[in-house]
Amino acid sequence: MKDNFSVQAKGYSKYRPHYPQEMIDCIVSYTKNRDTALDVATGNGQVAAMLCNCFANVDAIDISNNQLENAVQKTNIAYSKQKAEATNFIDSFFDLITVAQAIHWFNFNAFYKEAYRLLKPDGIIAVMGYGLFKTNPATDKIINDFYHNILGAYWDDERKYIEESYKTIPFPFEEIYPEKQFFNEFIWNFEQLKGYLLTWSAVQHYIKAKGINPFSSIEQELKETWKKGDKRVTFPLLLRIGKM
């Protein structure tokens, strides 16, 4: 798994959007037992922090020390630095495994083999994420150009799986189809919009390659359209749920 997020770990913790409680509740509703959950590639621990209200104990793993140092702390969450594809947990230990905005970075075959080893016989796996958000039309035009044209060559190949709404990832489980499509809406100030965009891995790749921040090329124009819009941000949420 690539570590594209250690550099901006603090920004990731502050500006990355959380998932709605309704979606987490939907995932949890399919679990028969709520003793143990594992959040893989936990990042800042946002999903782990939501799961700890539903499960007696939550383990959360990531390959980035910086991410783990900025993670949400709860008494029943145990964080550890581990690879998704090779963990030190015992067989058939977890009622639920979650992966949020990270499955596209994994070695699919190795991870799914590990997931089968870790899940209880009636265990559930949930893969979630979010696609490119929408705001007001003027701002969307700037951000779409930023995403596709300015940053286009700097996105990792794995980004395609998000653009394809995770529909093209391998998913070797008996799939469960929730009745509704989930979205996430926020009202953001400009600092939140800017902070989120700066967490994009392609921005960091661009800075590393060229030594300048590409966001500076759109910042002023973006600020003007943001003042005139309603400051509403809508993320389409990606979700696949499976059982053993």
Side-chain angles (χ1 to χ4, degrees):
M1 179 178 173
K2 298 177 181 178
D3 182 3
N4 279 340
F5 303 101
S6 286
V7 172
Q8 65 270 36
K10 288 185 178 180
Y12 198 95
S13 177
K14 185 176 182 180
Y15 295 114
R16 281 283 170 141
H18 288 69
Y19 295 90
Q21 186 64 52
E22 182 184 21
M23 191 167 94
I24 301 300
D25 290 344
C26 171
I27 294 167
V28 172
S29 71
Y30 295 108
T31 59
K32 291 184 178 180
N33 299 292
R34 298 177 187 176
D35 298 321
T36 54
L38 173 63
D39 188 38
V40 180
T42 193
N44 61 18
Q46 58 172 255
V47 170
M50 300 178 81
L51 292 176
C52 77
N53 298 317
C54 307
F55 289 82
N57 294 287
V58 176
D59 283 284
I61 63 173
D62 203 280
I63 61 170
S64 168
N65 283 325
N66 287 348
Q67 287 281 14
L68 294 173
E69 288 170 3
N70 287 277
V72 179
Q73 299 298 312
K74 298 287 185 178
T75 56
N76 62 335
I77 302 178
Y79 291 103
S80 58
K81 183 179 180 181
Q82 298 192 57
K83 294 181 179 179
E85 298 89 347
T87 72
N88 62 12
F89 303 110
I90 63 173
D91 295 357
S92 304
F93 187 66
F94 293 104
D95 300 298
L96 172 68
I97 293 176
T98 56
V99 186
Q101 198 71 357
I103 189 72
H104 52 289
W105 302 117
F106 295 177
N107 177 313
F108 293 124
N109 290 338
F111 171 66
Y112 288 135
K113 181 179 179 180
E114 183 71 348
Y116 264 91
R117 184 182 73 81
L118 295 175
L119 281 171
K120 294 178 181 178
D122 55 0
I124 296 293
I125 183 169
V127 171
M128 66 192 92
Y130 43 84
L132 184 62
F133 64 91
K134 290 187 177 297
T135 60
N136 63 76
T139 299
D140 283 346
K141 183 178 179 180
I142 297 169
I143 291 176
N144 282 327
D145 181 67
F146 184 59
Y147 181 98
H148 292 287
N149 298 322
I150 296 175
L151 296 179
Y154 296 92
W155 288 108
D156 293 272
D157 291 342
E158 293 89 343
R159 179 72 188 182
K160 68 179 182 179
Y161 292 114
I162 290 178
E163 294 173 348
E164 295 160 353
S165 301
Y166 280 167
K167 293 178 181 178
T168 57
I169 65 168
F171 200 66
F173 301 92
E174 181 181 344
E175 191 149 6
I176 298 170
Y177 298 95
E179 294 182 357
K180 66 174 293 184
Q181 170 72 45
F182 294 97
F183 295 87
N184 221 358
E185 288 194 344
F186 306 94
I187 301 297
W188 276 357
N189 59 36
F190 186 74
E191 179 190 0
Q192 290 170 303
L193 175 67
K194 176 180 177 178
Y196 171 68
L197 293 175
L198 290 177
T199 68
W200 282 0
S201 58
V203 170
Q204 302 306 315
H205 292 332
Y206 189 107
I207 293 171
K208 185 176 181 180
K210 295 196 171 186
I212 57 174
N213 190 333
F215 182 78
S216 61
S217 68
I218 66 166
E219 183 168 8
Q220 192 55 45
E221 185 181 9
L222 194 66
K223 187 178 293 185
E224 292 302 316
T225 64
W226 200 247
K227 288 179 182 177
K228 298 174 183 178
D230 62 6
K231 302 174 179 61
R232 187 178 303 276
V233 178
T234 302
F235 284 88
L237 296 178
L238 321 177
L239 178 61
R240 298 188 72 175
I241 304 174
K243 60 183 179 179
M244 294 285 282

